[in-house]
Amino acid sequence: MIQAMRETARPARAEAMVPAAYTVVDHRRETHDTVTLTLLPGRGTALPRFRPGQFTMLSAEGIGEIPVSISGDPDDQHDGRLVQTIREVGAVSAALCRSEAGSEIGVRGPYGHGWRLASALDGDLLVVAGGIGLAPLRPLIRSALGRREHFGDVTLLAGARSYADLLYPLQLDAWARRRDTAVTVTLDRPDPGWTGRVGLITGPLAETAIVPERTTAYLCGPEIMIKVCADALAARGVPPERIQVSLERNMKCGVGWCGHCQLGPHLLCRSGPVCRWDAVADLLDIEEL
Amino acid sequence: MLFDHPLPEVIDRAGLDQLVKLLQADGYTVVGPTERDGALVLDELAGGADLPDGIGVETGAGHYRLRERADGAVFNHSAGPQSWKQFVHPPRQRVDAPEPVRRLAFIGVRPCDLAALAILDGVLGAAPYPDDRYLARRDQIFVVAVNCVEPGNTCFCASTGTGPAAEWGYDLVLTEQEGEGGHRFLLGTGSVAGEEILDRLTHRTATGGEIREARRAVDDAAGSMGRSMPETDLRGLLNRARGSEHWEQVANRCLACANCTMVCPTCFCTTVEDATDLEGDNAERWQRWDSCFDPDFSYIHGGAVRKSVGSRYRQWMSHKLSTWHDQFGTSGCVGCGRCIAWCPAGIDITAEAAALAEKERTR
């Protein structure tokens, strides 16, 4: 199918629904249900550069297409490489997670509004990640650490259900060893021998000292975690327009045609996935919106 | 536009047949209303004789019946179960293979449906990601509009500002007249292509009396619609009604059957499915119409966001009347009344809007 699509793509303007063929060059198992793929475009099929927080639509041939956030380093996009972290939750994600090096998958994108970092220059960054939510935040963290002198305090709080569920443990260790970065990892269910924090991420969040007027917060994780943490930060005086949250809805096309990813006035594939808290706080208060 | 035209022209019933022939000779597949299975459907016409002479319709909430008219009027019937959406945004299309584009001529497009085509242009044809397939189809379409002079019981385009007069977006526009002087159609042009067809049609110039009569008929139509949207800021009303208990009351009647979204001329939502042959060697990717009433529509890992029927009706109605403005700069409702006629439970969007407005007033 990907082959057929390539033949029919018009040279003048590629059709938005036609995936580009990418080859898996690295397959890394992160946890029992999560895999990171490194993808390289075929000749002439490279997509535009991505920005932290954006997503792509990944196709498993004959099975379907799903939105997946980009987890790679935005400063390392040579040869058009894409790094994406996929959690196995359905038929398409399972097939993508099985894609070994050398196999071909379809990619469309990158799509959506990502994390706004420019507005945080010279201020403090507070990154709060729950579970797989760390994946779309990793490009932001790398981008910030690559320009470390432009920011004040950089704090990362990451939560996971158990150590086995913790994403990028070595990366977290490396960041934690930096003197200019504060990292706290908390586990809901600690393994024997775990000496770190235990419990929900709201615990370390409440204990993190912040200067509200200089803080920009970046949140991604389960919707309930985002809501509780954003409300807590707003209550402590962080301006809602400087709390950025990445939201999940059923992004089916990525280009605003299919109508599936609506959240009130938003088509989240266009105005999201990263939204300012002042634009969505009221909407998340309403059940089943 | 018709009435601003310096000299509206007139064709008779045979002129309509001639118009179909001319368009066919120019390579158009001519599509228009025709009687089938107890309804006026939109389909390819072999000739002008396939048009529904003397057939009217009777509509109501959950009600649609054909009726014999006392006159031979061709276009005096309100919207049927289909809309022109099916030709510009097909119910099923393969997205991973090229598709030949047919030149279509639409005959009998009402002002509500003209407005719907303009809305679809804004949704599917606009930046940043225009749907090339939609644009390619749309590009090839010749539009013969009809001014509406006999609105039905479920019509409310006068209150949505989308009728009963066709303002723009057509190549030719007709106003049908019966009675003294015979069965005839005042004809105005809206494009160079329309003028070229007019030049080849047997026609005469309209009289002052005919023009005055056409104007009066369209003016009267505005005042004789069976329904109307409440005169209030619907966009704000629906925004404020998100937490209303009214949605649960609608859910007690709504079957979540998705009929309203299928017949709506602006509902554009789609899903995409992959299909493989039994060997798994060949795969195809198909896009098809989807509906926000389907529980899977809002599915994300862990389950559907909109589990209750009330939340799905709220999504549909709020999108149509309120958040459509946020997303596309217009309302998504053109007042055609199809969702009212084809709702098996007879749920009426104008009545639900009025109920929400009333609840807000009396709170």
Side-chain angles (χ1 to χ4, degrees):
Chain A
M1 178 178 68
I2 290 163
Q3 180 65 34
M5 286 188 241
R6 205 178 321 159
E7 282 163 5
T8 59
R10 290 190 221 160
R13 182 165 65 185
E15 287 196 43
M17 291 297 280
V18 178
Y22 272 61
T23 304
V24 177
V25 294
D26 187 60
H27 175 283
R28 175 191 295 262
R29 180 149 287 283
E30 302 283 2
T31 72
H32 60 98
D33 63 357
T34 306
V35 159
T36 294
L37 300 180
T38 302
L39 309 168
L40 280 179
R43 194 184 306 156
T45 64
L47 295 166
R49 288 173 66 85
F50 76 90
R51 296 186 299 278
Q54 285 191 301
F55 68 97
T56 63
M57 297 298 301
L58 297 185
S59 285
E61 183 172 354
I63 301 173
E65 194 177 38
I66 53 166
V68 177
S69 52
I70 302 166
S71 60
D73 185 347
D75 294 323
D76 179 12
Q77 300 192 43
H78 70 277
D79 304 329
R81 77 183 43 233
L82 269 177
V83 177
Q84 310 220 231
T85 300
I86 305 153
R87 186 166 160 229
E88 187 181 324
V89 293
V92 182
S93 55
L96 291 170
C97 285
R98 284 194 306 268
S99 299
E100 295 295 335
S103 55
E104 201 176 68
I105 64 176
V107 186
R108 295 191 294 121
Y111 296 128
H113 259 290
W115 306 106
R116 286 82 164 165
L117 193 54
S119 56
L121 284 172
D122 303 323
D124 300 335
L125 309 183
L126 173 61
V127 180
V128 184
I132 187 80
L134 183 56
L137 283 163
R138 188 166 71 164
L140 169 90
I141 298 164
R142 286 188 153 164
S143 203
L145 294 182
R147 296 155 185 79
R148 184 64 187 86
E149 68 280 14
H150 293 292
F151 302 99
D153 292 345
V154 175
T155 306
L156 167 63
L157 309 178
R161 274 175 296 188
S162 67
Y163 192 80
D165 290 299
L166 184 65
L167 213 49
Y168 317 137
L170 298 178
Q171 176 90 74
L172 287 167
D173 251 1
W175 287 336
R177 278 197 298 273
R178 290 176 65 129
R179 304 178 60 140
D180 59 5
T181 306
V183 177
T184 303
V185 175
T186 182
L187 301 179
D188 295 351
R189 293 192 307 269
D191 303 69
W194 172 253
T195 56
R197 291 282 310 224
V198 174
L200 296 179
I201 204 156
T202 44
L205 180 65
E207 291 161 24
T208 300
I210 55 169
V211 185
E213 59 275 17
R214 0 179 328 121
T215 299
T216 302
Y218 302 90
L219 280 58
C220 188
E223 195 161 301
I224 182 66
M225 179 218 94
I226 288 178
K227 195 169 146 42
V228 171
C229 293
D231 279 339
L233 288 168
R236 287 171 71 182
V238 179
E241 66 272 20
R242 282 206 271 113
I243 302 172
Q244 300 179 27
V245 301
S246 182
L247 297 177
E248 183 190 6
R249 283 295 180 270
N250 187 356
M251 282 136 178
K252 195 85 193 162
C253 76
V255 291
W257 297 352
C258 81
H260 282 248
C261 66
Q262 291 179 67
L263 175 66
H266 304 288
L267 283 163
L268 281 180
C269 70
R270 276 188 190 175
S271 52
V274 177
C275 299
R276 286 173 16 171
W277 186 239
D278 54 330
V280 295
D282 293 353
L283 303 172
L284 294 186
D285 277 341
I286 299 160
E287 276 180 46
E288 301 189 89
L289 191 68
Chain B
M1 194 88 176
L2 166 66
F3 310 121
D4 299 335
H5 197 274
L7 285 173
E9 308 295 331
V10 177
I11 59 172
D12 58 13
R13 179 63 187 81
L16 207 53
D17 293 347
Q18 192 192 5
L19 172 62
V20 173
K21 266 201 190 114
L22 283 173
L23 289 167
Q24 286 170 334
D26 285 358
Y28 287 104
T29 297
V30 179
V31 178
T34 189
E35 183 189 356
R36 191 205 298 151
D37 301 333
L40 291 179
V41 298
L42 300 174
D43 204 351
E44 184 174 346
L45 306 177
D50 285 347
L51 288 164
D53 291 80
I55 300 174
V57 300
E58 182 190 286
T59 58
H63 183 84
Y64 177 96
R65 295 286 183 278
L66 296 186
R67 65 181 174 87
E68 211 169 300
R69 294 180 59 90
D71 61 20
V74 177
F75 296 115
N76 281 348
H77 47 79
S78 41
Q82 297 168 318
S83 75
W84 308 94
K85 170 174 86 172
Q86 65 181 321
F87 301 105
V88 292
H89 183 49
R92 257 170 74 79
Q93 55 176 313
R94 200 174 156 187
V95 296
D96 58 344
E99 160 199 290
V101 177
R102 291 193 299 169
R103 296 185 78 196
L104 296 180
F106 293 169
I107 289 207
V109 183
R110 284 159 202 296
C112 54
D113 284 348
L114 268 187
L117 286 170
I119 287 172
L120 285 180
D121 290 349
V123 171
L124 296 173
Y129 297 103
D131 181 343
D132 285 354
R133 287 158 185 272
Y134 174 85
L135 288 175
R137 285 184 214 109
R138 191 75 173 85
D139 244 18
Q140 297 293 328
I141 290 166
F142 187 96
V143 175
V144 182
V146 285
N147 282 313
C148 195
V149 295
E150 198 182 294
N153 180 261
T154 50
C155 290
F156 56 99
C157 71
S159 64
T160 50
T162 46
E167 305 284 347
W168 56 282
Y170 53 78
D171 297 287
L172 292 173
V173 60
L174 306 173
T175 311
E176 187 165 11
Q177 291 182 345
E178 280 272 6
E180 210 176 308
H183 188 192
R184 60 194 182 273
F185 303 85
L186 270 67
L187 190 150
T189 55
S191 72
V192 174
E195 282 166 17
E196 283 170 4
I197 291 282
L198 172 63
D199 285 345
R200 291 152 59 196
L201 273 172
T202 308
H203 65 273
R204 64 170 171 83
T205 300
T207 66
E210 286 169 334
I211 296 168
R212 277 191 298 277
E213 188 191 328
R215 189 189 309 246
R216 195 181 51 242
V218 176
D219 285 349
D220 287 353
S224 63
M225 309 235 157
R227 281 169 165 76
S228 67
M229 274 292 182
E231 281 180 39
T232 184
D233 164 28
L234 293 170
R235 183 180 179 181
L237 175 70
L238 270 294
N239 255 340
R240 293 187 298 272
R242 283 187 183 123
S244 172
E245 72 285 355
H246 184 70
W247 303 114
E248 226 172 288
Q249 297 175 18
V250 183
N252 289 334
R253 291 170 277 142
C254 176
L255 308 175
C257 72
N259 264 17
C260 49
T261 55
M262 297 294 109
V263 297
C264 176
T266 68
C267 271
F268 62 87
C269 289
T270 50
T271 189
V272 168
E273 288 164 348
D274 283 16
T276 52
D277 62 12
L278 286 175
E279 274 93 37
D281 295 334
N282 293 297
E284 296 179 355
R285 179 161 287 176
W286 287 83
Q287 187 189 73
R288 64 162 175 83
W289 287 355
D290 201 359
S291 170
C292 52
F293 283 92
D294 187 315
D296 276 351
F297 185 86
S298 61
Y299 182 86
I300 51 178
H301 170 59
V305 174
R306 296 181 207 107
K307 293 181 183 69
S308 68
V309 172
S311 72
R312 286 179 246 153
Y313 187 84
R314 174 181 64 193
Q315 165 62 26
W316 177 71
M317 184 168 165
S318 302
H319 190 215
K320 209 97 287 199
L321 301 179
S322 179
T323 52
W324 205 290
H325 287 276
D326 299 292
Q327 295 165 9
F328 308 110
T330 66
S331 168
C333 178
V334 296
C336 70
R338 285 183 178 91
C339 58
I340 304 171
W342 296 94
C343 175
I347 297 172
D348 175 347
I349 190 172
T350 66
E352 301 311 328
L356 287 171
E358 181 60 23
K359 280 195 176 161
E360 189 171 73
R361 231 186 339 267
T362 55
R363 187 159 39 199

